[in-house]
Amino acid sequence: MTLSRIAVAFCLGGLLNVSAQAETNLSSQLFINASNIQQKGQISNSEGWELDLKRFYLDFSHKFDENWSAVVTTDVQWRRQQDPTDVWFRHAYVQCKLPDGQLLQLGVAPLPWIDYIARKVGYRYVDPSLTPMNQFAGPTDLGVHYSNKNDNVSYAVSVVTGGGFKKPRVGDSVDVEAYAAWHIAPGFDIAVGGYRGARTQDKDEAPKINTAERFNASINYQVKRIRLGVEYVHNNNWGQVASLVKDAKSGWGSWASYRYAPKQSVFVRYDTTKPNRRLNPGYEKDYVQVGWDWKVAPYLTVAIVGKRIEETSVNFHRESNEFGLWSMWNF
């Protein structure tokens, strides 16, 4: 906990010396889709055409001076056949820009891997990337976050509670996530990342029998018109820290997109995962996404998208096909 105390003292010291040239901004972002879902091999009340509010972000940022700022982002979703979620604080942190591309954040802030890979995959308003979509990892957490970006190598380290942003809590130990990206050429990266900890599953009287671990790797290429990439993830005991039963899961994700006009693009994505490598080794989940998007206005982007999810195991075979209109609104 010494690191946390140092970071708190550092942040408070900086805030006491901020200039009077403060700046405050309030913005929002909505992900809304109207789509038709058809399923096979399962009983569901989500079939047919319905409207989803996948995300509603309300973002408050306050800039104290050129180095110090604070960010708070609330998060709400309202999915088909479900009640609206509680209001989550996806972001709630103070940050300080340090020399030579360094950044220090204290609070509920983005974790290194998902923050990096989401910008490479793109089209977040349609679906999140491989690791958060399949619950291999979380996007933000409470802790101390440090990053350094430059032309050759970028890296980041987060020391966090492991409880996530939806229900923040503190366990008996801290978790660590880190990543590093080698910028081989303009737009061309090789990146690796990892996570190790208890994810607050050792809280109170719960024993820490196993350690939650994750390994990520990616090769990707991104220029103005083209995105290409592949990602690999492997988790050990992600939900079995306090359990005698061990499990693992892994997956591959690949994506490609081409912006053939200034405001229009086509994209495709394919993910394949094994959610229970030890407990149910025959279980496999495949995801396909194909779409076309159009930036209608600075505040509105729309996409026509088709998706297919196929799950197979020894005991079942399930399919879900979805087609519709997705949109991203920025205010």
Side-chain angles (χ1 to χ4, degrees):
M1 298 304 292
T2 302
L3 179 60
S4 298
R5 293 194 182 101
I6 293 173
V8 170
F10 182 56
C11 290
L12 290 177
L15 291 176
L16 291 175
N17 292 282
V18 297
S19 71
Q21 297 178 348
E23 178 183 331
T24 301
N25 291 295
L26 183 64
S27 61
S28 64
Q29 187 175 63
L30 292 87
F31 300 162
I32 303 174
N33 68 278
S35 62
N36 181 282
I37 296 178
Q38 297 296 323
Q39 297 178 321
K40 296 180 181 179
Q42 54 190 310
I43 299 174
S44 172
N45 61 358
S46 63
E47 289 190 305
W49 284 95
E50 292 212 29
L51 191 70
D52 292 322
L53 174 62
K54 295 187 68 174
R55 280 291 186 266
F56 173 31
Y57 299 129
L58 188 62
D59 185 79
F60 168 85
S61 63
H62 182 77
K63 184 177 179 180
F64 300 101
D65 63 13
E66 61 180 10
N67 294 321
W68 289 91
S69 59
V71 175
V72 175
T73 304
T74 62
D75 184 357
V76 177
Q77 61 177 305
W78 193 348
R79 307 297 293 271
R80 63 182 66 198
Q81 305 299 324
Q82 297 179 12
D83 294 328
T85 63
D86 296 329
V87 177
W88 300 319
F89 286 94
R90 190 180 186 91
H91 299 143
Y93 60 87
V94 175
Q95 72 175 17
C96 178
K97 293 182 179 179
L98 303 172
D100 302 321
Q102 300 177 88
L103 183 67
L104 178 66
Q105 298 170 321
L106 176 65
V108 182
L111 287 169
W113 185 258
I114 292 180
D115 184 56
Y116 167 77
I117 209 70
R119 289 181 276 109
K120 301 300 180 180
V121 179
Y123 308 97
R124 171 62 185 86
Y125 69 101
V126 177
D127 267 328
S129 57
L130 171 72
T131 47
M133 183 176 176
N134 292 280
Q135 299 181 346
F136 284 73
T140 69
D141 209 339
L142 174 63
V144 180
H145 310 259
Y146 170 80
S147 62
N148 189 347
K149 297 180 181 179
N150 57 57
D151 294 337
N152 299 315
V153 177
S154 297
Y155 58 91
V157 179
S158 292
V159 179
V160 296
T161 66
F165 72 95
K166 293 183 178 180
K167 293 182 179 179
R169 59 179 189 168
V170 178
D172 293 338
S173 58
V174 296
D175 295 6
V176 178
E177 176 170 320
Y179 106 101
W182 178 23
H183 311 306
I184 299 174
F188 183 34
D189 284 7
I190 293 179
V192 294
Y195 186 103
R196 184 177 176 85
R199 303 187 63 232
T200 70
Q201 295 173 32
D202 61 344
K203 183 176 174 61
D204 300 327
E205 301 300 322
K208 183 181 178 182
I209 299 174
N210 303 307
T211 299
E213 299 174 316
R214 190 183 77 245
F215 170 75
N216 296 88
S218 174
I219 300 176
N220 56 79
Y221 177 70
Q222 179 181 345
V223 292
K224 188 174 182 180
R225 291 179 175 269
I226 299 172
R227 295 174 187 260
L228 296 170
V230 62
E231 175 189 5
Y232 173 75
V233 59
H234 181 93
N235 288 28
N236 282 319
N237 302 311
W238 201 243
Q240 287 81 27
V241 171
S243 173
L244 292 173
V245 179
K246 296 185 177 183
D247 199 9
K249 51 187 178 180
S250 64
W252 288 90
S254 56
W255 63 90
S257 67
Y258 176 61
R259 187 163 296 280
Y260 63 89
K263 297 182 179 181
Q264 298 171 19
S265 67
V266 290
F267 55 93
V268 62
R269 175 177 153 192
Y270 172 69
D271 299 347
T272 181
T273 58
K274 287 185 172 294
N276 304 106
R277 292 183 63 94
R278 295 171 185 157
L279 299 180
N280 188 1
Y283 178 27
E284 183 172 317
K285 181 179 178 181
D286 295 323
Y287 169 85
V288 178
Q289 174 197 103
V290 179
W292 168 86
D293 91 328
W294 174 32
K295 190 174 181 61
V296 181
Y299 60 86
L300 175 62
T301 302
V302 298
I304 298 174
V305 182
K307 304 179 190 179
R308 177 180 175 86
I309 298 175
E310 184 174 8
E311 298 176 90
T312 57
S313 182
V314 175
N315 302 319
F316 62 83
H317 180 271
R318 298 194 290 254
E319 296 179 13
S320 177
N321 297 286
E322 186 174 9
F323 176 81
L325 184 69
W326 273 254
S327 65
M328 176 173 61
W329 301 76
N330 296 293
F331 300 101

